[in-house]
Amino acid sequence: MTRTVQVNDREKTASRLLRSSAKNSYDPEVDIDWQAPLAEGKPYLPLHRSTLYGTPLWERLTEEQRIELTKHEFASIASNGLWFEVLLMQMLLKDFYHRDPRTQHAQYALTEVADECRHSTMFAKACDRIGAPAYGPFRILHEGGRILPATLKGPSAYASILVAEEILDRIQRDQMFDEQVQPLVRMVNRIHVMEEARHVTFAREEVVRGMRECNAAQRAYHQFMTSLVGYCIVKALINPDVYKAVGLRPATAYRTAMENPHWWETIRWSGEKIMAFLDEVGLVGKPGMPLWRKAGLIR
């Protein structure tokens, strides 16, 4: 059942976010020291966030192999974040195409696109700097992503942006405050988290406004589409090829990861905040429940 969620006037919110962007934006090209040496013996994710943590396969890995695995898991998450940033930019530009460019709202959409361009470059440079592939999503998801900007619209478009951004945000906040994690990774995460806070505010208010205008059929459509994208986002985070880096068979290791309760707890934890919001605005409903459960975002 949809609850009443208060939002500001669209132009007031956009004006505030534009001022914040002008004062608090980063340029990863100059704000990150890409030439600094990587730290010896430091993982690229907190070890307890690795997909294999707590499994018999994990116990068989040496400390060096565990660190190497986190390097490739970080690269998978970052490159899938890049993939979704590109889809997000297409959706924002599609929305902008129909708006008056003189408005603060339209101008903030362009500002967000500019932010996402820099973030995508940053994720690509991070994968290159640590010496890992930009894994990206499964082939079927990569191909399916081509149609996403054309099919998503209204509240489910902005809700899908939120699912991707807020799951990534929770994972990255965990990393940026962990002094055991590689300094380069922590800086990449810090920049992304600080700038995405503005994007989340923008998208959340658009979801609330859009859901207020939906009838029952439209609400069911947005519930299903948001859950479908949420399921795809969770499945895309880890590419099975990451396990080759430590000498594991991808199919076997991936199956072990997908059966690992520690990993599923990480997924549930990463989605706590966004799932509470989606439920509050009426986007968690019967049409999407099977997919939310398969994604591990609802028990």
Side-chain angles (χ1 to χ4, degrees):
M1 180 173 160
T2 306
R3 300 174 181 85
T4 301
V5 181
Q6 297 299 319
V7 294
N8 296 318
D9 173 79
R10 180 177 270 153
E11 284 293 276
K12 286 183 178 179
T13 295
S15 178
R16 177 172 60 81
L17 294 175
L18 282 167
R19 290 195 302 271
S20 177
S21 297
K23 292 179 181 178
N24 302 297
S25 289
Y26 291 87
D27 181 353
E29 292 283 353
V30 297
D31 290 321
I32 295 178
D33 183 358
W34 296 104
Q35 303 306 314
L38 298 172
E40 289 285 335
K42 283 187 177 287
Y44 297 76
L45 303 174
L47 293 177
H48 68 281
R49 297 297 182 197
S50 173
T51 58
L52 295 181
Y53 180 82
T55 68
L57 277 182
W58 179 261
E59 296 304 319
R60 282 163 36 193
L61 298 177
T62 65
E63 189 68 14
E64 291 75 16
Q65 286 176 312
R66 292 173 180 176
I67 290 172
E68 185 69 9
L69 177 58
T70 65
K71 174 198 289 187
H72 290 265
E73 289 172 328
F74 166 78
S76 180
I77 292 170
S79 57
N80 277 294
L82 189 163
W83 167 67
F84 204 81
E85 300 276 27
V86 171
L87 299 179
L88 182 161
M89 286 186 274
Q90 293 178 56
M91 288 187 279
L92 286 170
L93 287 171
K94 176 185 170 186
D95 185 61
F96 172 83
Y97 190 81
H98 300 287
R99 295 194 180 274
D100 183 343
R102 298 170 299 177
T103 64
Q104 301 282 287
H105 178 80
Q107 290 168 24
Y108 183 73
L110 288 183
T111 300
E112 183 169 340
V113 170
D115 286 346
E116 301 300 11
C117 281
R118 291 194 302 272
H119 296 167
S120 297
T121 301
M122 178 174 68
F123 289 149
K125 288 177 73 70
C127 292
D128 183 53
R129 177 64 187 88
I130 67 176
Y135 288 99
F138 293 95
R139 183 176 179 82
I140 189 171
L141 291 179
H142 184 270
E143 296 302 322
R146 296 174 185 272
I147 66 171
L148 193 63
T151 56
L152 279 180
K153 58 184 179 180
S156 54
Y158 281 98
S160 297
I161 290 169
L162 283 170
V163 173
E165 298 292 10
E166 295 210 40
I167 285 176
L168 195 59
D169 178 89
R170 199 103 199 258
I171 291 171
Q172 289 181 325
R173 284 179 187 272
D174 192 41
Q175 297 170 24
M176 66 185 259
F177 291 120
D178 190 334
E179 295 185 359
Q180 296 306 308
V181 172
Q182 285 281 343
L184 173 67
V185 169
R186 295 178 65 201
M187 189 59 187
V188 166
N189 290 336
R190 182 174 292 109
I191 288 175
H192 193 248
V193 163
M194 292 183 69
E195 296 194 339
E196 288 301 330
R198 296 191 293 266
H199 304 174
V200 165
T201 297
F202 184 70
R204 281 191 176 220
E205 292 198 3
E206 286 303 304
V207 169
V208 174
R209 292 188 191 98
M211 289 301 290
R212 285 177 178 170
E213 300 170 0
C214 289
N215 58 35
Q218 291 169 330
R219 183 174 290 108
Y221 167 83
H222 291 303
Q223 288 172 343
F224 176 76
M225 292 302 294
T226 305
S227 68
L228 176 61
V229 176
Y231 173 77
C232 291
I233 288 166
V234 169
K235 289 301 179 184
L237 286 175
I238 300 297
N239 189 305
D241 286 344
V242 301
Y243 302 109
K244 292 179 183 177
V246 292
L248 298 174
R249 292 182 60 191
T252 301
Y254 185 75
R255 185 168 59 251
T256 298
M258 294 303 103
E259 295 172 354
N260 182 7
H262 290 284
W263 174 242
W264 284 112
E265 178 56 28
T266 289
I267 292 298
R268 187 203 60 78
W269 162 82
S270 71
E272 273 180 340
K273 290 175 65 178
I274 183 56
M275 292 307 298
F277 170 76
L278 295 179
D279 185 40
E280 188 174 22
V281 298
L283 273 169
V284 178
K286 189 174 181 180
M289 291 304 284
L291 287 169
W292 287 128
R293 291 196 178 98
K294 285 183 180 180
L297 294 168
I298 288 180
R299 291 187 187 279

